[in-house]
């Protein structure tokens, strides 16, 4: 089914998308459990849970195939022990290695075939799930061939190659998902958001801002918690605060902060001073924005009725304008985008890939996944289910 290119308002609790049928993909990916891996390892990286420190979830790459297959899968134990955390975190990928956390540690897999490279026992900090009511382990981030992680005992850095501990800082406990650049690591801690040196873990400042998810670009760190706060990346000084009660990750692009608040509105705020630039409040709970240079993708979740994937054109000095939409089942999320595809998870239908321009459903991987962030690479993708099943899809 081709998604509709016109969007109308619909009364009641249904989606505002006039498309009234589930996606009908051209190709269905078979499960496949004995595949030997990639013949050619995908290029590129996905070093943060939503690709970059700005949380755009957009990778400037192409899938290179409209008929992908399972290249490998790996089952990672998510036994929680005495921890209140459940499941597995989103994956991050760099240097030919896939890294994720569980309630009891951090695990690294080979990108080529999914074999376990190393594992370290620790307790990642618990963060609220963006799609469920339970807590989940905070995912790691990667920079300069190191894995950085917020734990219940402090902040830690490991070498990607073999898991060797590069440094630990136990001055304060972690409290959320880090954001990293080449020379600075920003982490929600129990003392506030702190900046650490990536080379040796020295704490450089702590800001009076609390939240579990961060975004960073243009010397500004945006903190999402009970409110949204912007702080100076160099000094930690608070630049502005707004009482938006953001849900999920803030997204930064071209001087705009994209915020999906708990009331279901999608807002654009100025990164400079926090003033509201536009607001989409005529839909029924737009969530999980994915932002590319030309588009914004989001999921509309009315609650009792079917959800819908929406594609919007970005507009200079105005709110995004709808381009296409596609009805999907209850729940789900738009998780990532590439140059030629946007990816949506649904609890019942699994992963669906749509074309970016017209919203055609190209292929579907019918696995019972929740909305855990994908890693989109040049020639392949890697995703993980809450039970710890890591799957890589690609063309060869």
């Amino acid at each position: 089914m081709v998604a509709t290119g016109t969007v109308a308002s619909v009364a009641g609790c249904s989606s505002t998308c006039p498309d009234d049928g589930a996606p009908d993909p051209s190709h269905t990916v078979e499960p496949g459990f004995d595949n030997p891996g990639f013949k050619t390892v995908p290029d590129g990286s996905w070093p943060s849970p939503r690709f970059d420190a700005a949380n755009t979830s957009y990778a400037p790459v192409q899938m290179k195939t409209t008929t992908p297959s399972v290249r490998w899968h790996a089952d990672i134990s998510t036994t929680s022990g005495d921890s209140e955390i459940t499941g597995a975190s989103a994956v991050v990928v760099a240097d030919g290695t896939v890294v994720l956390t569980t309630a009891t540690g951090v695990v690294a897999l080979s990108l080529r075939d999914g074999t376990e490279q190393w594992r370290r026992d620790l307790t990642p900090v618990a963060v609220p799930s963006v799609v469920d009511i339970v807590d989940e382990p905070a995912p790691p981030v990667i920079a300069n061939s190191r894995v950085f992680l917020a734990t219940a005992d402090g902040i830690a850095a490991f070498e990607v190659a073999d898991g060797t501990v590069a440094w630990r800082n136990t001055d304060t406990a972690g409290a959320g998902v880090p954001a990293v650049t080449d020379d600075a690591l920003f982490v929600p801690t129990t003392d506030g958001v702190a900046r650490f040196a990536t080379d040796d873990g020295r704490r450089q400042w702590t800001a009076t801002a609390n939240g579990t998810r961060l975004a960073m670009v243009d010397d500004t760190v945006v903190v999402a918690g009970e409110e949204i706060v912007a702080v100076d990346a160099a000094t930690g000084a608070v630049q502005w605060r707004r009482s938006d009660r953001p849900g999920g990750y803030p997204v930064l692009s071209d001087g705009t902060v994209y915020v999906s608040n708990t009331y279901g509105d999608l807002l654009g705020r100025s990164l400079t001073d926090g003033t509201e630039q536009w607001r989409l409040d005529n839909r029924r709970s737009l969530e999980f924005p994915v932002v590319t240079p030309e588009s914004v993708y989001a999921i509309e979740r009315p609650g009792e009725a079917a959800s819908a994937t929406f594609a919007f054109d970005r507009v200079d000095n105005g709110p995004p304008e709808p381009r296409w939409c596609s009805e999907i089942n209850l729940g789900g999320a738009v998780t990532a985008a590439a140059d030629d595809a946007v990816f949506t998870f649904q609890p019942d239908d699994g992963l669906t890939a749509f074309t970016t321009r017209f919203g055609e459903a190209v292929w579907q991987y019918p696995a019972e996944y929740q909305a855990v962030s994908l890693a989109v690479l040049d020639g392949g993708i890697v995703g993980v289910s809450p039970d710890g099943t890591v799957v890589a899809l690609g063309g060869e």
Side-chain angles (χ1 to χ4, degrees):
M1 175 178 290
V2 178
T4 182
T6 58
V7 180
S9 296
V10 179
C13 295
S14 62
S15 168
T16 59
C17 177
D19 179 23
D20 60 356
D24 183 18
S26 305
H27 172 70
T28 299
V29 180
E30 298 298 326
F33 294 102
D34 298 319
N35 293 338
F38 289 102
K39 293 180 181 179
T40 302
V41 177
D43 291 329
S45 64
W46 189 274
S48 295
R50 292 178 63 87
F51 180 63
D52 51 20
N55 297 327
T56 62
S57 288
Y58 162 69
V61 299
Q62 295 188 348
M63 272 296 295
K64 297 182 179 178
T65 179
T66 57
T67 58
S69 60
V70 174
R71 303 318 308 162
W72 56 261
H73 89 286
D75 293 320
I76 306 300
S77 173
T78 57
T79 303
S80 61
D82 297 330
S83 173
E84 296 181 358
I85 312 174
T86 60
S89 78
V91 296
V92 292
V93 181
D95 300 332
T97 304
V98 179
V99 186
L100 69 157
T101 59
T102 70
T104 58
V106 56
V107 182
L109 308 174
S110 164
L111 175 59
R112 178 177 292 278
D113 58 15
T115 54
E116 185 171 313
Q117 304 293 85
W118 52 265
R119 180 188 295 256
R120 296 292 176 265
D121 294 334
L122 48 77
T123 304
V125 65
V127 295
S129 169
V130 295
V131 296
D132 210 338
I133 60 174
V134 300
D135 287 342
E136 60 189 16
V141 294
I142 300 177
N144 301 327
S145 297
R146 285 182 174 175
V147 177
F148 301 95
L149 183 64
T151 78
D153 300 319
I155 315 304
F158 304 89
E159 302 295 342
V160 171
D162 57 10
T164 301
V165 176
W167 54 259
R168 293 182 186 269
N169 186 314
T170 58
D171 291 345
T172 182
V177 183
V180 67
T181 64
D182 287 342
D183 60 356
L185 176 70
F186 304 91
V187 187
T189 75
T190 51
D191 296 334
V193 172
R195 171 175 168 151
F196 299 85
T198 55
D199 57 353
D200 59 11
R202 289 175 295 109
R203 182 160 33 159
Q204 298 172 327
W205 53 250
T206 302
T208 54
N210 294 305
T212 58
R213 292 179 169 86
L214 312 176
M216 190 272 174
V217 74
D218 295 339
D219 299 323
T220 300
V221 179
V222 175
V223 186
E226 289 297 314
E227 58 183 352
I228 190 162
V229 183
V231 302
D232 185 281
T235 66
V238 173
Q239 297 176 326
W240 52 264
R241 297 176 183 267
R242 295 292 183 271
S243 56
D244 288 328
R245 296 184 62 85
Y249 289 88
V251 182
L252 312 181
S253 181
D254 297 325
T256 297
V257 183
Y258 294 78
V259 181
S260 175
N261 68 18
T262 54
Y263 303 105
D265 299 342
L266 183 61
L267 293 79
R269 289 196 177 278
S270 166
L271 180 62
T272 302
D273 58 15
T275 55
E276 184 175 314
Q277 298 174 323
W278 50 261
R279 178 185 296 253
L280 294 178
D281 56 4
N282 59 342
R283 314 238 171 257
R284 308 195 188 284
S285 189
L286 284 171
E287 302 175 18
F288 312 108
V290 170
V291 181
T292 78
E294 297 179 348
S295 302
V296 178
Y297 303 95
I299 201 85
E300 184 184 46
R301 304 208 301 178
E304 299 85 356
S307 301
T309 300
F310 272 82
F312 299 88
D313 289 319
R314 292 179 61 174
V315 177
D316 292 337
N317 303 317
E321 297 179 351
R323 183 170 73 245
W324 57 259
C325 63
S326 177
E327 183 179 292
I328 59 176
N329 287 329
L330 288 170
V334 179
T335 58
D339 284 334
D340 57 349
V342 58
F343 305 95
T344 300
F345 270 134
Q346 300 94 49
D348 294 329
D349 295 332
L351 176 65
T352 303
F354 296 91
T355 60
T356 54
R357 191 63 211 161
F358 298 110
E360 299 165 301
V362 181
W363 56 262
Q364 189 172 78
Y365 180 48
E368 292 184 358
Y369 278 125
Q370 280 186 291
V372 178
S373 181
L374 289 176
V376 180
L377 308 169
D378 191 2
I381 61 175
V382 182
V384 61
S385 67
D387 66 1
T389 300
V390 186
V391 176
L393 305 179
E396 50 172 18

